[in-house]
Amino acid sequence: MSEPKLVVEGLKKYFPIRRGITEALTFKPPRYVKAVDGISFEVFEGDVFCLVGESGCGKTTTGRLIVRLIEATDGRMRYKVSEELKNQIPEDLLQDGKYVDLLGKLPKNVDKALRKDTQIIFQDPYGSLNPRMTLKDILNEPLQVHNIGASESERLEIIHRALSEVKLTPPEEFVDRYPHMLSGGQRQRVAIARAIILNPSLVVADEPVSMLDVSIRAEILQLMLDLKAARNLSYVFITHDLAVANYICNRIAVMYLGKIVEMGITDKVIGNPQHPYTQALVAAVPEPDPKNRLRIKEVPIKGEIPSAANIPSGCRLHPRCPYAMDICSKEEPPMVEVEKDHYVSCWLHTKK
Ligand SMILES: Nc1ncnc2c1ncn2[C@@H]1O[C@H](COP(=O)(O)OP(=O)(O)OP(=O)(O)O)[C@@H](O)[C@H]1O
Ligand code: SF4
Ligand SMILES: [Mg+2]
């Protein structure tokens, strides 16, 4: 079995809620949106690790924390560094000789190298590319930031190679185009090229196909899988679509209101969901061929997802859960292993 590429422990991100003048003057304690509220998981080398869950459950925030676009409130993120990078890192920052805490204090050069090694692809291929820049400029920018390529012609060669890898060929025909001259699928290929051009080992993909036509989703997913195989990548793949997760991920974590409620091998989690929330998500997936429909009884989860600024006590699903017991509103259930590589956080699976 491969080693963990990323070990996330107790990761939190709280966004402060701006207070009105009355609140501030009456010394009311500050309030927070608990977007990510203490999550732990491992991404193994070569994994496509999915984060799934309804809107607002904290998927994007987790992705942004991993690539350090935003600062964490608390937690640890241990990252396995490559042999090449290891030589640049002072020994006292290395744990087990190969892991570095991404949330710790890092020397500038190490920080920059790690940022290069962890890239992100955003959801919106229309908004994530600067409309005033040609594809050449878009792809040249990260190369310049990281001093890659000794000359302009060398950088152009790297750009051509990246465009060919994402099947925008011949690259000479694409380099001088602007994003508006491309289809949605082609734009997302450019976004993927921009992520891989720096030769990362871990890529966070935040809903990379959700804004694309259904007809081109499969092509983009296949491209991502081909690139993973060719470049030895690991992915953290964010989606609200369980069918996409089932297709692309080997391991999966189901999030609800800033917490992971169920996690493990995709076949086990989706094929045999144990948490009432996962059961509800799986039962809601439409299956065109009724013979293949997963035999999951529909779970009547009531009402809407509450606000992350107002999280229910105990198990945060309890106001909506048809199986809620006395303990559920009082104590948060621990994460337990219900079978090998399959974890659930629910009092139905834990004896108190
Ligand atoms: N910069 C911010 N400031 C304040 N609150 C934020 C900020 N970013 C996200 N949030 C809040 O944090 C929670 C989680 O948001 P996040 O975008 O991570 O969810 P998501 O699972 O990606 O949702 P979606 O499926 O809609 O993309 C939400 O309640 C959101 O409103
Ligand atoms: S812990 Fe209780 S409320 Fe939460 S999902 Fe399990 S049964 Fe439902
Ligand atoms: Mg999101």
Side-chain angles (χ1 to χ4, degrees):
M1 187 158 172
S2 58
E3 288 188 306
K5 179 74 193 161
L6 177 72
V7 182
V8 173
E9 293 166 320
L11 187 65
K12 290 184 182 171
K13 179 67 188 178
Y14 293 177
F15 294 105
I17 299 173
R18 198 179 291 174
R19 295 191 291 173
I21 187 137
T22 326
E23 271 184 296
L25 290 175
T26 51
F27 297 102
K28 283 208 171 136
R31 293 194 308 129
Y32 297 93
V33 172
K34 296 182 176 178
V36 173
D37 198 12
I39 59 171
S40 304
F41 58 89
E42 290 177 336
V43 180
F44 288 87
E45 286 175 321
D47 260 0
V48 182
F49 181 85
C50 261
L51 290 172
V52 300
E54 283 171 292
S55 181
C57 69
K59 305 180 297 293
T60 295
T61 306
T62 306
R64 288 173 175 256
L65 286 166
I66 292 172
V67 294
R68 294 181 300 144
L69 280 177
I70 51 175
E71 236 178 83
T73 305
D74 199 8
R76 285 212 304 168
M77 290 202 300
R78 290 188 297 132
Y79 185 75
K80 186 179 168 192
V81 291
S82 63
E83 286 300 318
E84 181 196 337
L85 243 157
K86 220 191 277 181
N87 304 327
Q88 300 174 36
I89 301 181
E91 237 173 67
D92 58 324
L93 289 181
L94 282 176
Q95 300 160 10
D96 299 333
K98 51 192 160 192
Y99 289 93
V100 65
D101 186 1
L102 290 178
L103 301 182
K105 186 131 187 57
L106 300 167
K108 251 193 177 154
N109 63 325
V110 174
D111 180 78
K112 194 170 175 186
L114 288 167
R115 284 180 191 278
K116 172 175 167 288
D117 208 41
T118 50
Q119 292 293 313
I120 187 163
I121 301 164
F122 295 102
Q123 173 174 17
D124 178 7
Y126 297 88
S128 67
L129 304 176
N130 186 333
R132 288 184 204 87
M133 286 166 85
T134 61
L135 302 199
K136 182 173 138 197
D137 293 339
I138 288 169
L139 296 175
N140 198 30
E141 201 174 45
L143 297 180
Q144 281 185 321
V145 169
H146 289 277
N147 298 322
I148 295 171
S151 61
E152 204 166 313
S153 64
E154 200 175 312
R155 280 197 288 274
L156 189 58
E157 211 175 289
I158 298 171
I159 291 167
H160 279 183
R161 231 180 295 139
L163 286 172
S164 304
E165 265 193 277
V166 298
K167 311 275 184 312
L168 290 175
T169 50
E172 297 79 6
E173 275 186 24
F174 281 91
V175 275
D176 294 321
R177 291 195 197 175
Y178 289 88
H180 75 265
M181 300 158 92
L182 306 175
S183 67
Q186 287 175 329
R187 284 180 215 218
Q188 204 54 312
R189 286 174 192 271
V190 177
I192 294 170
R194 184 175 55 184
I196 59 155
I197 203 163
L198 291 173
N199 205 16
S201 338
L202 179 74
V203 174
V204 174
D206 187 0
E207 308 255 17
V209 297
S210 65
M211 289 183 77
L212 303 176
D213 280 354
V214 174
S215 57
I216 44 178
R217 282 186 194 170
E219 282 175 25
I220 298 292
L221 292 176
Q222 191 53 52
L223 171 68
M224 291 186 66
L225 289 175
D226 292 346
L227 289 170
K228 178 178 110 61
R231 292 176 154 265
N232 230 351
L233 293 170
S234 309
Y235 286 128
V236 174
F237 192 100
I238 293 170
T239 177
H240 64 274
D241 187 336
L242 219 54
V244 169
N246 197 24
Y247 175 73
I248 197 159
C249 303
N250 59 310
R251 293 177 64 248
I252 189 169
V254 180
M255 288 186 77
Y256 182 76
L257 268 187
K259 281 272 185 198
I260 292 175
V261 296
E262 185 158 2
M263 175 168 70
I265 305 281
T266 306
D267 288 346
K268 295 185 179 180
V269 174
I270 295 186
N272 182 25
Q274 295 297 309
H275 194 284
Y277 181 66
T278 319
Q279 289 171 349
L281 288 185
V282 171
V285 176
E287 170 55 64
D289 179 358
K291 275 197 304 238
N292 294 336
R293 191 185 288 275
L294 291 164
R295 299 201 185 284
I296 302 291
K297 203 166 72 178
E298 236 163 276
V299 181
I301 297 287
K302 302 169 272 188
E304 298 281 303
I305 187 167
S307 154
N310 211 352
I311 289 178
S313 59
C315 166
R316 42 199 74 193
L317 188 67
H318 86 260
R320 303 177 70 194
C321 178
Y323 311 118
M325 302 165 279
D326 230 18
I327 191 171
C328 300
S329 60
K330 297 190 180 110
E331 283 184 54
E332 216 164 298
M335 185 67 91
V336 293
E337 192 169 24
V338 286
E339 60 179 321
K340 195 172 172 345
D341 293 324
H342 186 177
Y343 300 83
V344 180
S345 162
C346 169
W347 285 118
L348 293 173
H349 296 276
T350 314
K351 285 205 181 75
K352 175 77 181 162

